[in-house]
Amino acid sequence: MSENALERLRHWGGARRIAIVHDWLVVSGGAEKVLDALLQAFPGAEVFTLVDFLPQAHRGRLDKHRVHTSLIQRMPLARRYYRHYLPLMPYAIEQFDLRDFDLVISSSHCVAKGVITHSGQRHLCYCHTPMRYAWDMKEAYLVDAHFRLPGMEALVRRTLGRLRQWDHFTASQVDRFVANSANVSRRIAKYYGRGASVIHPPVDLDAFTPNDGAREDYYLAASRLVAYKRLDLIIRAFRDMPERRLKVVGDGPERGRLAALARGCPNIELLGFQPDPALRELMARARGFVFAADEDFGIMPLEAQACGTPVIAYGRGGALETVRETPDAQATGLFFHQQSAASLSEALARFEQRRYDPHACRRQAERFAPTGFWERWMSLLEADQSETDAVVPNYRDNKEPTS
């Protein structure tokens, strides 16, 4: 592009009122990094979210934007138990009044795409995944819930069934879907019957950089400590390999169980939450980054590669789009193909039989630079505008189309 893509986006957005709808602001994860990139592109946008309990240290550009929260923000114990209000979330998201906006962008992995828009508005959904509670992780969610009250599981199943119906219906109200990966694009087609463009999340290449110092003899795993990330699988594998060291970074509801699994294993360290500079240093010095989740996209393997660190990843989901397993010098890691400790152990043995070029890892991460993210958004918005103008010629100047 002849002009800087970020400046072109800002200029484009400056002529429009833009609302960005995000499910919730509680922790800083991959979805929040995408939100931050969108806020950088649209500095005049207003943000709508179910709850906002994001710590000040992680707010970034949010403090420069007006943030609207839903009725769930004021519900009892919402700060800690906001997820328990899942049955109320569709109603809450539909209460936002977005009539004054020209463009609505929903950043959705749960209910954000269900906001109500009106004629003359465009609704673009950046979909991190169709609601996993209702679709492909429903059974795992029910198992992990450990229901103790009689009839509770049947009630939750009925609730998830209603959520699935609502989720499918509201997909028809979105004007255009954008998926964060080809993996998610396929799920959008399966569950919603809709096509989706793919725009991968951006990697902060300025923050995650190779370390000039020597690498240390440990492997790193880092994520929120929740069940589907499968940190338990990684710990079980290293528990049976006392000659290999593992450092685990993160906090969450699984921490107690994971600590119990690692008890008595001096080769395994659970470091808990680490600030970003410490995490980046750990990534840059690690022998390899271990990733066991079947993730929608997964930004951390790319952040590790940006540090020059190769990745050992479960060979499903978004990792297939971010890690290069090739026989040549361009390889940036390898895959294990069963979500089991034995499969991971075998992969680690293969990993240690070859050398990986930190420069190749860095080049792979550079394919996901923020510049590319903004260029693809600019191209998509221009194409969407052209299609809309062809149907509604006065779209730029009128909230309501002419007959």
Side-chain angles (χ1 to χ4, degrees):
M1 290 186 176
S2 57
E3 298 178 49
N4 180 279
L6 179 57
E7 291 306 317
R8 292 185 67 202
L9 271 176
R10 287 173 171 170
H11 177 75
W12 190 96
R16 296 160 177 83
R17 291 204 66 192
I18 297 175
I20 300 177
V21 186
H22 190 76
D23 286 301
W24 50 71
L25 292 165
V26 179
V27 297
S28 181
E32 287 67 40
K33 291 174 182 178
V34 170
L35 174 63
D36 187 71
L38 291 173
L39 294 179
Q40 191 173 354
F42 304 118
E46 296 185 27
V47 177
F48 293 78
T49 187
L50 291 172
V51 297
D52 180 8
F53 299 120
L54 196 64
Q56 189 61 44
H58 294 147
R59 297 191 70 79
R61 294 177 178 82
L62 269 173
D63 283 342
K64 298 179 181 179
H65 295 258
R66 187 177 180 187
V67 179
H68 307 260
T69 57
S70 78
L71 57 92
I72 296 177
Q73 179 86 15
R74 301 178 294 279
M75 299 295 282
L77 303 176
R79 179 181 291 271
R80 183 172 182 181
Y81 296 112
Y82 66 96
R83 290 179 186 272
H84 288 59
Y85 289 104
L86 179 63
L88 185 59
M89 288 179 183
Y91 173 80
I93 207 75
E94 289 179 348
Q95 302 315 300
F96 286 131
D97 183 357
L98 305 178
R99 288 175 296 175
D100 291 335
F101 296 93
D102 305 303
L103 174 66
V104 176
I105 300 174
S106 57
S107 168
S108 184
H109 59 80
C110 189
V111 299
K113 71 163 181 48
V115 289
I116 295 175
T117 55
H118 305 276
S119 61
Q121 293 178 304
R122 296 293 287 171
H123 177 188
L124 307 185
C125 174
Y126 188 90
C127 186
H128 303 279
T129 178
M131 192 193 303
R132 288 193 134 192
Y133 311 108
W135 299 101
D136 54 333
M137 285 185 67
K138 175 175 66 71
E139 296 302 326
Y141 172 78
L142 290 167
V143 169
D144 291 339
H146 303 298
F147 298 111
R148 294 178 175 86
L149 296 177
M152 192 65 179
E153 181 175 343
L155 176 62
V156 172
R157 282 186 180 275
R158 286 196 296 272
T159 300
L160 293 179
R162 289 195 295 271
L163 277 171
R164 192 158 52 249
Q165 292 173 340
W166 178 87
D167 191 44
H168 185 272
F169 169 76
T170 55
S172 67
Q173 310 304 301
V174 174
D175 293 301
R176 183 186 290 268
F177 275 98
V178 183
N180 71 355
S181 62
N183 176 41
V184 168
S185 179
R186 288 190 290 270
R187 290 219 295 272
I188 290 170
K190 179 178 177 65
Y191 298 129
Y192 299 155
R194 299 286 302 276
S197 307
V198 175
I199 301 179
H200 292 118
V203 178
D204 189 346
L205 297 171
D206 293 331
F208 293 88
T209 57
N211 191 317
D212 294 333
R215 292 191 176 273
E216 298 180 26
D217 191 23
Y218 66 84
Y219 292 91
L220 178 70
S223 76
R224 288 179 294 114
L225 304 187
V226 293
Y228 87 92
K229 298 288 187 178
R230 297 309 311 270
L231 273 299
D232 61 324
L233 179 161
I234 299 173
I235 289 174
R236 290 179 195 277
F238 278 84
R239 196 173 58 179
D240 295 334
M241 300 181 293
E243 72 282 5
R244 293 188 175 105
R245 294 171 60 204
L246 171 69
K247 296 178 185 286
V248 179
V249 171
D251 202 354
E254 286 278 287
R255 185 169 183 177
R257 187 170 79 92
L258 297 176
L261 282 174
R263 190 172 296 128
C265 300
N267 63 314
I268 301 174
E269 297 179 76
L270 270 64
L271 303 178
F273 169 80
Q274 295 292 312
D276 290 342
L279 174 60
R280 292 193 290 265
E281 184 70 13
L282 286 164
M283 275 186 173
R285 291 190 177 277
R287 183 174 186 177
F289 184 82
V290 187
F291 189 74
D294 179 0
E295 192 64 273
D296 308 314
F297 177 71
I299 196 73
M300 278 196 167
L302 277 171
E303 291 172 342
Q305 290 171 83
C307 295
T309 302
V311 177
I312 305 96
Y314 178 47
R316 288 193 64 179
L320 294 174
E321 300 174 50
T322 60
V323 179
R324 286 176 56 90
E325 183 181 33
T326 59
D328 57 24
Q330 300 308 307
T332 66
L334 54 75
F335 299 113
F336 58 101
H337 297 286
Q338 295 179 359
Q339 248 179 344
S340 69
S343 184
L344 172 56
S345 299
E346 186 274 333
L348 286 165
R350 287 190 288 117
F351 177 84
E352 293 174 359
Q353 291 172 2
R354 64 175 299 177
R355 297 173 65 88
Y356 291 90
D357 181 1
H359 300 291
C361 294
R362 177 70 181 185
R363 287 193 297 272
Q364 174 69 357
E366 287 171 349
R367 295 179 53 235
F368 299 83
T371 301
F373 176 81
W374 291 318
E375 286 178 350
R376 286 185 280 276
W377 263 104
M378 190 70 253
S379 296
L380 181 139
L381 288 169
E382 288 177 336
D384 186 76
Q385 186 69 68
S386 297
E387 291 175 14
T388 304
D389 287 348
V391 177
V392 185
N394 64 338
Y395 171 72
R396 291 179 185 274
D397 303 315
N398 296 281
K399 293 285 180 70
E400 295 294 333
T402 58
S403 57

